[in-house]
Amino acid sequence: MRPLISSRRRGTSRISIVLLLVAALLSGTFLAAGAQAAGGNHRPGESRGTTSGLNRVNLKGWAKAQLKADKARRARPHQNATRTAAAVPARTASAVTRKAAPLVRADAAAPAGTSALVLYDTTGPYGQLGELYAMATANLAGHFGTVTAKPVQDYTAGMVEQYTATVYLGSTYYGGTLPDAIPAAFYQDASATSHPVIWMGANIWGMANSVGVTQFTQKYGWDPTTSYYEDGGSVGNVTQVTYRGQTLTRTIPAGQDGGVLRPNILTGTGYPQVTTVAMGLDSSNGHTFGWAVRSANLTYIGEIPFAYVSESDRVIAFEDLLFDALAPATAERHRAMVRLEDISPDSNPTELRTMADYLYSQQIPYGINVIPVYTDPKGTYNNGVPQTITLAQRPQVVSALKYMLSHGAVLMDHGYTHQYSNVDNPYNGVTGDDFEFYRAHIDAANNVVYDGPPAEDSSVWAQSRVTAALAAFAAAGLPRPTLWTTPHYAGSAADYRVFGSNFSARLERSLYFAGTLSGASSDPNRFIGQFFPYVVNDVYGTKVLPEDIGNYEPEAYNNHPARLPADLIASARANLAVRDGVASFFYHPYYPVQPLKDTIDGIRALGYTFVSPAAL
């Protein structure tokens, strides 16, 4: 799968997308990165996928509302530690919950093995954010064991004791005209339990007020009721988070930053030590503060880091912090993975063999993403004459693929035709350039905009294309692929489930749609995009292999800058913060070998060991 890219073969441009998890939500639209071409001669190519995490969510409105509410809280007379805790019902077994990975009903018994409880907000004008963030959290927690995700208002007393750890996502700011939807039982249990609790974003002051400010400060050593999102009257410009020796980036468009809560850490007799596990930097004034702090059972993160994410982003810190809560004995290990992308019947077999020889000489196992049918329905690259080629019609390409398989490669299915119908989607209808399972267009500002699934999208339709793809591999005498990468990383929830039922795993970045956790019909226009630093079991019930540092792309495209070996290496360095992570990238074999060599040498120099996709 490629990012939307641009290439200069045959005098055309190839565009490459790398599904970045950044919330590019201008004017309520989701801006995709790029896409790339399938053969050795093309144009717009694979996609950097969704550059955002959030589609059609008004983050500007959300940020404005959060800061307004926080200013009002700051202006109110401070409540001191004499506040009494709310009454707590007797502890009982939890009610029925919904499991997130996979989504099935869970009974009242405690899950076996490592388990995570993910609680999220659903109320208020921006309540839709909660489920999107909960899916992203549940996907990551799916690396460690079972996951149950449910609205926080459904929490019942004693539930935290049934799980290895609990994560609460404070995306709705309660206060003013919006009543607190968090049960008093959760506030009390979160404080009383010895199990790890990770709290992200808003409402931590509600916990302090509920259990008593004095009790909270004496247990945790900081005061949420005097901690705010602004420093000196502004959220500032928090551009950097330092975690486990790595400097991680944070880039939020103007007007869409709701701020990072800055903990008021207390010192003196009677207060325990607070550990700053990640340090934030406000570049506007040079101030540093605890972006993530820990004391007793509580780890607090001052924001929910799923919006505007890049391959070197501060979300990496949260991805690793889950090890502390769910698998603290995990040993340090850094693996890397590479795949060759957008290979089709139109690929150059000499280029394929050259790549295979280099990787084999370096003893590097790798994946090969193959599109079994190449089509150019409008003759874009064939002098106006429509053209379709199957693998069986290109024996030299098949021979090169078999050569690769005998020299360390793992065969992967990258769609059926990697394009849709005979229309521009969004470029020209040609294999490798366009989306196959999603509709998209390019707007006047040169952004790729996601429009939704095709009109005929369904499980039956998606299965028909998978079946046709597998038949094309068989007709060429190639083994059945067991791994899948969705063209341009984009499909509907129904499509992803079909892919999961046909293949042992997906290797990709993915879209996760509103309604998946709640059981409501999936909203095709509201989703979060995500990529992972390790293998996860996601909310579709599928094993997903990581692709987290992107791809080589020497040219800028669709408002995305070029991405060179130094950029990939820098992202791999940032991901060293994940104690057992994988630096996974892809490369198009129509490019010269040297940039691939430079990337691999740089990643190896960081201490990574390359492994096969089949080994994960």
Side-chain angles (χ1 to χ4, degrees), residues 102-163:
L103 289 178
V104 296
R105 289 287 181 182
D107 60 23
T114 301
S115 60
L117 174 63
V118 176
L119 302 171
Y120 59 98
D121 297 320
T122 59
T123 59
Y126 304 101
Q128 69 270 25
L129 279 173
E131 184 185 19
L132 298 175
Y133 290 150
M135 286 190 289
T137 303
N139 289 336
L140 292 168
H143 173 72
F144 301 92
T146 61
V147 184
T148 298
K150 62 191 312 174
V152 68
Q153 62 263 32
D154 293 342
Y155 180 87
T156 57
M159 198 174 290
V160 295
E161 302 300 331
Q162 301 179 33
Y163 298 88

Short mmCIF file of all heavy atoms in Angstrom, two decimals, residues 102-163:
data_model
loop_
_atom_site.label_atom_id
_atom_site.label_comp_id
_atom_site.label_asym_id
_atom_site.label_seq_id
_atom_site.Cartn_x
_atom_site.Cartn_y
_atom_site.Cartn_z
N PRO A 102 -12.06 -8.78 20.43
CA PRO A 102 -13.05 -8.26 19.50
C PRO A 102 -14.29 -7.75 20.23
O PRO A 102 -14.42 -7.97 21.43
CB PRO A 102 -13.40 -9.47 18.65
CG PRO A 102 -13.22 -10.62 19.59
CD PRO A 102 -12.06 -10.24 20.47
N LEU A 103 -15.23 -7.12 19.49
CA LEU A 103 -16.43 -6.58 20.11
C LEU A 103 -17.45 -7.69 20.32
O LEU A 103 -18.10 -8.13 19.41
CB LEU A 103 -17.03 -5.51 19.21
CG LEU A 103 -16.25 -4.22 19.13
CD1 LEU A 103 -16.92 -3.27 18.17
CD2 LEU A 103 -16.12 -3.60 20.49
N VAL A 104 -17.55 -8.15 21.55
CA VAL A 104 -18.55 -9.14 21.93
C VAL A 104 -19.03 -8.79 23.32
O VAL A 104 -18.40 -8.02 24.04
CB VAL A 104 -17.98 -10.58 21.94
CG1 VAL A 104 -17.56 -10.99 20.54
CG2 VAL A 104 -16.80 -10.69 22.89
N ARG A 105 -20.12 -9.35 23.70
CA ARG A 105 -20.60 -9.12 25.06
C ARG A 105 -19.72 -9.86 26.06
O ARG A 105 -19.36 -11.00 25.87
CB ARG A 105 -22.04 -9.62 25.20
CG ARG A 105 -23.03 -8.74 24.45
CD ARG A 105 -23.22 -7.42 25.14
NE ARG A 105 -24.17 -6.57 24.45
CZ ARG A 105 -24.47 -5.34 24.84
NH1 ARG A 105 -23.89 -4.82 25.90
NH2 ARG A 105 -25.33 -4.63 24.17
N ALA A 106 -19.35 -9.15 27.14
CA ALA A 106 -18.58 -9.79 28.20
C ALA A 106 -19.50 -10.01 29.39
O ALA A 106 -20.39 -9.22 29.65
CB ALA A 106 -17.41 -8.89 28.60
N ASP A 107 -19.30 -11.12 30.12
CA ASP A 107 -20.15 -11.34 31.29
C ASP A 107 -19.55 -10.65 32.50
O ASP A 107 -18.58 -9.91 32.41
CB ASP A 107 -20.34 -12.84 31.53
CG ASP A 107 -19.02 -13.55 31.79
OD1 ASP A 107 -18.04 -12.89 32.19
OD2 ASP A 107 -18.96 -14.78 31.57
N ALA A 108 -20.15 -10.87 33.66
CA ALA A 108 -19.74 -10.14 34.86
C ALA A 108 -18.46 -10.67 35.46
O ALA A 108 -17.88 -10.04 36.34
CB ALA A 108 -20.86 -10.19 35.89
N ALA A 109 -18.01 -11.82 35.01
CA ALA A 109 -16.79 -12.39 35.59
C ALA A 109 -15.57 -11.62 35.12
O ALA A 109 -15.56 -11.04 34.05
CB ALA A 109 -16.67 -13.86 35.18
N ALA A 110 -14.54 -11.61 35.96
CA ALA A 110 -13.30 -10.93 35.60
C ALA A 110 -12.64 -11.62 34.42
O ALA A 110 -12.59 -12.85 34.36
CB ALA A 110 -12.35 -10.92 36.79
N PRO A 111 -12.15 -10.86 33.44
CA PRO A 111 -11.46 -11.48 32.30
C PRO A 111 -10.22 -12.23 32.76
O PRO A 111 -9.56 -11.83 33.72
CB PRO A 111 -11.08 -10.28 31.43
CG PRO A 111 -11.97 -9.16 31.88
CD PRO A 111 -12.23 -9.41 33.33
N ALA A 112 -9.92 -13.33 32.08
CA ALA A 112 -8.72 -14.09 32.40
C ALA A 112 -7.51 -13.42 31.79
O ALA A 112 -7.58 -12.83 30.72
CB ALA A 112 -8.86 -15.52 31.88
N GLY A 113 -6.37 -13.53 32.45
CA GLY A 113 -5.14 -12.98 31.92
C GLY A 113 -5.12 -11.46 32.00
O GLY A 113 -5.88 -10.83 32.74
N THR A 114 -4.23 -10.85 31.22
CA THR A 114 -4.10 -9.40 31.21
C THR A 114 -5.33 -8.78 30.55
O THR A 114 -5.76 -9.20 29.49
CB THR A 114 -2.83 -8.99 30.44
OG1 THR A 114 -1.69 -9.57 31.08
CG2 THR A 114 -2.68 -7.48 30.42
N SER A 115 -5.87 -7.76 31.20
CA SER A 115 -7.09 -7.15 30.69
C SER A 115 -7.08 -5.66 30.97
O SER A 115 -6.51 -5.20 31.95
CB SER A 115 -8.32 -7.80 31.33
OG SER A 115 -8.29 -7.64 32.74
N ALA A 116 -7.74 -4.92 30.09
CA ALA A 116 -7.83 -3.47 30.25
C ALA A 116 -9.29 -3.04 30.18
O ALA A 116 -10.06 -3.54 29.36
CB ALA A 116 -7.03 -2.77 29.16
N LEU A 117 -9.64 -2.09 31.04
CA LEU A 117 -10.95 -1.45 31.00
C LEU A 117 -10.74 -0.03 30.47
O LEU A 117 -9.97 0.74 31.03
CB LEU A 117 -11.56 -1.40 32.40
CG LEU A 117 -12.87 -0.62 32.55
CD1 LEU A 117 -13.99 -1.24 31.72
CD2 LEU A 117 -13.27 -0.53 34.03
N VAL A 118 -11.42 0.30 29.38
CA VAL A 118 -11.31 1.63 28.78
C VAL A 118 -12.65 2.33 28.97
O VAL A 118 -13.68 1.85 28.49
CB VAL A 118 -10.95 1.54 27.29
CG1 VAL A 118 -10.95 2.92 26.66
CG2 VAL A 118 -9.60 0.84 27.10
N LEU A 119 -12.63 3.45 29.67
CA LEU A 119 -13.83 4.22 29.94
C LEU A 119 -13.77 5.54 29.18
O LEU A 119 -12.72 6.18 29.13
CB LEU A 119 -13.95 4.50 31.44
CG LEU A 119 -13.99 3.25 32.35
CD1 LEU A 119 -13.89 3.66 33.81
CD2 LEU A 119 -15.28 2.46 32.10
N TYR A 120 -14.89 5.94 28.60
CA TYR A 120 -14.87 7.12 27.76
C TYR A 120 -16.16 7.93 27.90
O TYR A 120 -17.21 7.41 28.29
CB TYR A 120 -14.64 6.75 26.30
CG TYR A 120 -15.67 5.81 25.69
CD1 TYR A 120 -16.72 6.29 24.92
CD2 TYR A 120 -15.57 4.43 25.86
CE1 TYR A 120 -17.65 5.44 24.34
CE2 TYR A 120 -16.50 3.56 25.29
CZ TYR A 120 -17.54 4.07 24.53
OH TYR A 120 -18.45 3.22 23.97
N ASP A 121 -16.06 9.22 27.58
CA ASP A 121 -17.19 10.13 27.64
C ASP A 121 -18.03 10.04 26.38
O ASP A 121 -17.51 9.81 25.28
CB ASP A 121 -16.69 11.58 27.79
CG ASP A 121 -15.92 11.80 29.08
OD1 ASP A 121 -16.34 11.25 30.12
OD2 ASP A 121 -14.89 12.51 29.06
N THR A 122 -19.33 10.27 26.54
CA THR A 122 -20.22 10.28 25.38
C THR A 122 -21.16 11.47 25.40
O THR A 122 -21.93 11.65 24.45
CB THR A 122 -21.08 8.99 25.34
OG1 THR A 122 -21.84 8.90 26.56
CG2 THR A 122 -20.21 7.76 25.20
N THR A 123 -21.13 12.29 26.44
CA THR A 123 -22.11 13.36 26.59
C THR A 123 -21.57 14.69 26.08
O THR A 123 -20.37 14.86 25.86
CB THR A 123 -22.52 13.50 28.06
OG1 THR A 123 -21.35 13.77 28.85
CG2 THR A 123 -23.17 12.24 28.57
N GLY A 124 -22.48 15.66 25.94
CA GLY A 124 -22.10 16.99 25.52
C GLY A 124 -22.01 17.12 24.01
O GLY A 124 -22.11 16.14 23.27
N PRO A 125 -21.80 18.36 23.53
CA PRO A 125 -21.79 18.60 22.08
C PRO A 125 -20.63 17.93 21.35
O PRO A 125 -20.68 17.78 20.13
CB PRO A 125 -21.67 20.13 21.99
CG PRO A 125 -21.12 20.57 23.30
CD PRO A 125 -21.66 19.60 24.31
N TYR A 126 -19.59 17.53 22.09
CA TYR A 126 -18.45 16.85 21.46
C TYR A 126 -18.30 15.42 22.00
O TYR A 126 -17.22 14.85 22.01
CB TYR A 126 -17.17 17.66 21.69
CG TYR A 126 -17.31 19.07 21.18
CD1 TYR A 126 -17.56 20.12 22.05
CD2 TYR A 126 -17.26 19.33 19.81
CE1 TYR A 126 -17.73 21.42 21.57
CE2 TYR A 126 -17.43 20.62 19.32
CZ TYR A 126 -17.67 21.66 20.21
OH TYR A 126 -17.85 22.93 19.72
N GLY A 127 -19.43 14.87 22.40
CA GLY A 127 -19.42 13.52 22.96
C GLY A 127 -18.94 12.47 21.98
O GLY A 127 -18.49 11.40 22.39
N GLN A 128 -19.03 12.77 20.66
CA GLN A 128 -18.59 11.78 19.66
C GLN A 128 -17.09 11.52 19.73
O GLN A 128 -16.61 10.48 19.25
CB GLN A 128 -18.96 12.23 18.25
CG GLN A 128 -18.20 13.44 17.74
CD GLN A 128 -18.88 14.76 18.05
OE1 GLN A 128 -19.65 14.83 19.01
NE2 GLN A 128 -18.63 15.77 17.24
N LEU A 129 -16.34 12.44 20.32
CA LEU A 129 -14.90 12.24 20.43
C LEU A 129 -14.58 11.03 21.30
O LEU A 129 -13.60 10.32 21.06
CB LEU A 129 -14.23 13.47 21.05
CG LEU A 129 -13.96 14.65 20.14
CD1 LEU A 129 -13.47 15.84 20.96
CD2 LEU A 129 -12.92 14.29 19.10
N GLY A 130 -15.38 10.80 22.33
CA GLY A 130 -15.07 9.75 23.30
C GLY A 130 -14.91 8.39 22.66
O GLY A 130 -13.95 7.67 22.93
N GLU A 131 -15.86 7.99 21.82
CA GLU A 131 -15.79 6.66 21.21
C GLU A 131 -14.60 6.55 20.27
O GLU A 131 -13.93 5.51 20.21
CB GLU A 131 -17.08 6.33 20.46
CG GLU A 131 -17.06 4.90 19.92
CD GLU A 131 -18.27 4.57 19.06
OE1 GLU A 131 -18.94 5.51 18.58
OE2 GLU A 131 -18.53 3.37 18.85
N LEU A 132 -14.30 7.62 19.53
CA LEU A 132 -13.17 7.58 18.62
C LEU A 132 -11.87 7.38 19.40
O LEU A 132 -11.03 6.55 19.04
CB LEU A 132 -13.11 8.87 17.80
CG LEU A 132 -14.31 9.14 16.90
CD1 LEU A 132 -14.18 10.50 16.22
CD2 LEU A 132 -14.49 8.05 15.86
N TYR A 133 -11.70 8.13 20.47
CA TYR A 133 -10.50 7.99 21.30
C TYR A 133 -10.47 6.62 21.99
O TYR A 133 -9.40 6.03 22.18
CB TYR A 133 -10.45 9.09 22.35
CG TYR A 133 -10.18 10.47 21.80
CD1 TYR A 133 -10.69 11.60 22.44
CD2 TYR A 133 -9.42 10.67 20.65
CE1 TYR A 133 -10.44 12.88 21.96
CE2 TYR A 133 -9.17 11.94 20.17
CZ TYR A 133 -9.69 13.05 20.82
OH TYR A 133 -9.43 14.31 20.34
N ALA A 134 -11.64 6.14 22.38
CA ALA A 134 -11.69 4.83 23.06
C ALA A 134 -11.28 3.72 22.11
O ALA A 134 -10.61 2.76 22.52
CB ALA A 134 -13.09 4.58 23.60
N MET A 135 -11.66 3.81 20.84
CA MET A 135 -11.24 2.80 19.88
C MET A 135 -9.73 2.81 19.72
O MET A 135 -9.09 1.74 19.69
CB MET A 135 -11.92 3.02 18.53
CG MET A 135 -13.38 2.64 18.51
SD MET A 135 -14.11 2.64 16.85
CE MET A 135 -14.15 4.41 16.51
N ALA A 136 -9.14 4.01 19.63
CA ALA A 136 -7.69 4.10 19.50
C ALA A 136 -6.99 3.49 20.71
O ALA A 136 -5.99 2.78 20.59
CB ALA A 136 -7.28 5.55 19.31
N THR A 137 -7.53 3.76 21.90
CA THR A 137 -6.94 3.21 23.13
C THR A 137 -7.14 1.71 23.20
O THR A 137 -6.22 0.96 23.56
CB THR A 137 -7.57 3.88 24.35
OG1 THR A 137 -7.38 5.30 24.27
CG2 THR A 137 -6.96 3.36 25.64
N ALA A 138 -8.34 1.25 22.85
CA ALA A 138 -8.62 -0.19 22.89
C ALA A 138 -7.74 -0.95 21.92
O ALA A 138 -7.29 -2.06 22.21
CB ALA A 138 -10.10 -0.44 22.59
N ASN A 139 -7.49 -0.37 20.75
CA ASN A 139 -6.61 -1.03 19.79
C ASN A 139 -5.22 -1.24 20.38
O ASN A 139 -4.64 -2.33 20.29
CB ASN A 139 -6.50 -0.19 18.51
CG ASN A 139 -7.78 -0.20 17.70
OD1 ASN A 139 -8.58 -1.13 17.79
ND2 ASN A 139 -7.97 0.82 16.89
N LEU A 140 -4.67 -0.20 21.00
CA LEU A 140 -3.34 -0.32 21.60
C LEU A 140 -3.34 -1.31 22.75
O LEU A 140 -2.44 -2.16 22.87
CB LEU A 140 -2.87 1.05 22.09
CG LEU A 140 -2.58 2.08 20.99
CD1 LEU A 140 -2.41 3.47 21.60
CD2 LEU A 140 -1.33 1.69 20.20
N ALA A 141 -4.36 -1.24 23.59
CA ALA A 141 -4.44 -2.17 24.71
C ALA A 141 -4.62 -3.60 24.23
O ALA A 141 -4.28 -4.56 24.95
CB ALA A 141 -5.58 -1.77 25.65
N GLY A 142 -5.13 -3.76 23.00
CA GLY A 142 -5.28 -5.10 22.43
C GLY A 142 -3.97 -5.80 22.17
O GLY A 142 -3.94 -7.00 21.88
N HIS A 143 -2.87 -5.07 22.27
CA HIS A 143 -1.54 -5.70 22.18
C HIS A 143 -1.27 -6.59 23.39
O HIS A 143 -0.50 -7.55 23.30
CB HIS A 143 -0.47 -4.61 22.10
CG HIS A 143 0.94 -5.11 22.17
ND1 HIS A 143 1.54 -5.81 21.14
CD2 HIS A 143 1.88 -5.03 23.16
CE1 HIS A 143 2.79 -6.13 21.49
NE2 HIS A 143 3.01 -5.67 22.70
N PHE A 144 -1.90 -6.26 24.51
CA PHE A 144 -1.54 -6.88 25.79
C PHE A 144 -2.50 -7.98 26.24
O PHE A 144 -2.11 -8.85 27.01
CB PHE A 144 -1.48 -5.80 26.87
CG PHE A 144 -0.50 -4.71 26.57
CD1 PHE A 144 -0.89 -3.57 25.89
CD2 PHE A 144 0.83 -4.82 26.94
CE1 PHE A 144 0.02 -2.55 25.60
CE2 PHE A 144 1.75 -3.82 26.66
CZ PHE A 144 1.34 -2.69 25.98
N GLY A 145 -3.74 -7.93 25.78
CA GLY A 145 -4.71 -8.92 26.24
C GLY A 145 -6.12 -8.49 25.86
O GLY A 145 -6.33 -7.80 24.86
N THR A 146 -7.09 -8.86 26.67
CA THR A 146 -8.48 -8.52 26.37
C THR A 146 -8.76 -7.08 26.76
O THR A 146 -8.13 -6.52 27.65
CB THR A 146 -9.44 -9.45 27.12
OG1 THR A 146 -9.23 -9.30 28.53
CG2 THR A 146 -9.23 -10.91 26.74
N VAL A 147 -9.75 -6.51 26.08
CA VAL A 147 -10.11 -5.12 26.31
C VAL A 147 -11.62 -5.00 26.40
O VAL A 147 -12.35 -5.55 25.58
CB VAL A 147 -9.61 -4.20 25.19
CG1 VAL A 147 -9.91 -2.74 25.51
CG2 VAL A 147 -8.12 -4.39 24.95
N THR A 148 -12.09 -4.28 27.40
CA THR A 148 -13.50 -3.93 27.53
C THR A 148 -13.60 -2.41 27.48
O THR A 148 -12.94 -1.73 28.26
CB THR A 148 -14.10 -4.45 28.84
OG1 THR A 148 -14.02 -5.88 28.86
CG2 THR A 148 -15.55 -4.03 28.99
N ALA A 149 -14.39 -1.89 26.56
CA ALA A 149 -14.57 -0.45 26.44
C ALA A 149 -16.03 -0.11 26.65
O ALA A 149 -16.91 -0.77 26.09
CB ALA A 149 -14.11 0.02 25.05
N LYS A 150 -16.28 0.92 27.47
CA LYS A 150 -17.66 1.30 27.73
C LYS A 150 -17.74 2.75 28.17
O LYS A 150 -16.76 3.30 28.69
CB LYS A 150 -18.28 0.38 28.78
CG LYS A 150 -17.63 0.41 30.13
CD LYS A 150 -18.13 -0.73 31.02
CE LYS A 150 -19.62 -0.84 31.00
NZ LYS A 150 -20.12 -2.02 31.73
N PRO A 151 -18.88 3.40 27.97
CA PRO A 151 -19.05 4.77 28.45
C PRO A 151 -18.84 4.85 29.96
O PRO A 151 -19.27 3.96 30.70
CB PRO A 151 -20.50 5.10 28.07
CG PRO A 151 -20.80 4.19 26.92
CD PRO A 151 -20.06 2.92 27.23
N VAL A 152 -18.20 5.91 30.40
CA VAL A 152 -17.87 6.02 31.82
C VAL A 152 -19.13 6.05 32.67
O VAL A 152 -19.11 5.58 33.83
CB VAL A 152 -16.98 7.27 32.08
CG1 VAL A 152 -17.76 8.56 31.85
CG2 VAL A 152 -16.37 7.22 33.48
N GLN A 153 -20.25 6.58 32.15
CA GLN A 153 -21.47 6.63 32.96
C GLN A 153 -22.03 5.25 33.26
O GLN A 153 -22.86 5.09 34.15
CB GLN A 153 -22.54 7.51 32.30
CG GLN A 153 -23.02 7.03 30.95
CD GLN A 153 -22.31 7.74 29.82
OE1 GLN A 153 -21.14 8.11 29.94
NE2 GLN A 153 -23.03 7.95 28.72
N ASP A 154 -21.55 4.23 32.54
CA ASP A 154 -21.99 2.86 32.79
C ASP A 154 -21.12 2.14 33.81
O ASP A 154 -21.34 0.96 34.09
CB ASP A 154 -21.99 2.06 31.49
CG ASP A 154 -23.03 2.55 30.50
OD1 ASP A 154 -23.96 3.27 30.93
OD2 ASP A 154 -22.92 2.24 29.30
N TYR A 155 -20.15 2.84 34.36
CA TYR A 155 -19.28 2.22 35.36
C TYR A 155 -20.10 1.89 36.61
O TYR A 155 -20.95 2.65 37.05
CB TYR A 155 -18.14 3.18 35.74
CG TYR A 155 -17.21 2.59 36.78
CD1 TYR A 155 -16.13 1.82 36.40
CD2 TYR A 155 -17.43 2.78 38.15
CE1 TYR A 155 -15.28 1.25 37.34
CE2 TYR A 155 -16.60 2.24 39.10
CZ TYR A 155 -15.53 1.46 38.69
OH TYR A 155 -14.70 0.91 39.63
N THR A 156 -19.80 0.71 37.19
CA THR A 156 -20.42 0.31 38.46
C THR A 156 -19.34 0.00 39.48
O THR A 156 -18.21 -0.37 39.12
CB THR A 156 -21.34 -0.91 38.29
OG1 THR A 156 -20.58 -1.99 37.72
CG2 THR A 156 -22.51 -0.58 37.37
N ALA A 157 -19.69 0.14 40.72
CA ALA A 157 -18.72 0.04 41.81
C ALA A 157 -17.95 -1.28 41.77
O ALA A 157 -18.53 -2.34 41.54
CB ALA A 157 -19.42 0.20 43.15
N GLY A 158 -16.65 -1.22 41.96
CA GLY A 158 -15.81 -2.40 42.03
C GLY A 158 -15.26 -2.86 40.71
O GLY A 158 -14.45 -3.79 40.65
N MET A 159 -15.66 -2.24 39.62
CA MET A 159 -15.27 -2.72 38.30
C MET A 159 -13.76 -2.67 38.08
O MET A 159 -13.18 -3.55 37.42
CB MET A 159 -16.00 -1.92 37.23
CG MET A 159 -16.03 -2.58 35.86
SD MET A 159 -17.05 -1.65 34.69
CE MET A 159 -18.67 -1.96 35.37
N VAL A 160 -13.09 -1.66 38.61
CA VAL A 160 -11.64 -1.56 38.37
C VAL A 160 -10.89 -2.76 38.91
O VAL A 160 -9.81 -3.11 38.41
CB VAL A 160 -11.05 -0.26 38.98
CG1 VAL A 160 -11.60 0.97 38.31
CG2 VAL A 160 -11.24 -0.23 40.49
N GLU A 161 -11.45 -3.42 39.92
CA GLU A 161 -10.76 -4.57 40.52
C GLU A 161 -10.78 -5.78 39.60
O GLU A 161 -10.02 -6.73 39.81
CB GLU A 161 -11.41 -4.93 41.86
CG GLU A 161 -11.42 -3.81 42.88
CD GLU A 161 -10.02 -3.34 43.24
OE1 GLU A 161 -9.08 -4.15 43.17
OE2 GLU A 161 -9.87 -2.15 43.57
N GLN A 162 -11.62 -5.76 38.58
CA GLN A 162 -11.74 -6.91 37.69
C GLN A 162 -10.75 -6.89 36.53
O GLN A 162 -10.69 -7.84 35.75
CB GLN A 162 -13.16 -6.98 37.13
CG GLN A 162 -14.23 -7.10 38.21
CD GLN A 162 -15.62 -7.13 37.62
OE1 GLN A 162 -15.80 -7.66 36.52
NE2 GLN A 162 -16.59 -6.59 38.32
N TYR A 163 -9.99 -5.81 36.42
CA TYR A 163 -9.10 -5.63 35.27
C TYR A 163 -7.68 -5.35 35.74
O TYR A 163 -7.45 -4.79 36.81
CB TYR A 163 -9.60 -4.48 34.39
CG TYR A 163 -10.97 -4.74 33.82
CD1 TYR A 163 -12.12 -4.39 34.54
CD2 TYR A 163 -11.12 -5.40 32.61
CE1 TYR A 163 -13.38 -4.67 34.03
CE2 TYR A 163 -12.38 -5.67 32.09
CZ TYR A 163 -13.51 -5.32 32.81
OH TYR A 163 -14.75 -5.60 32.31
#
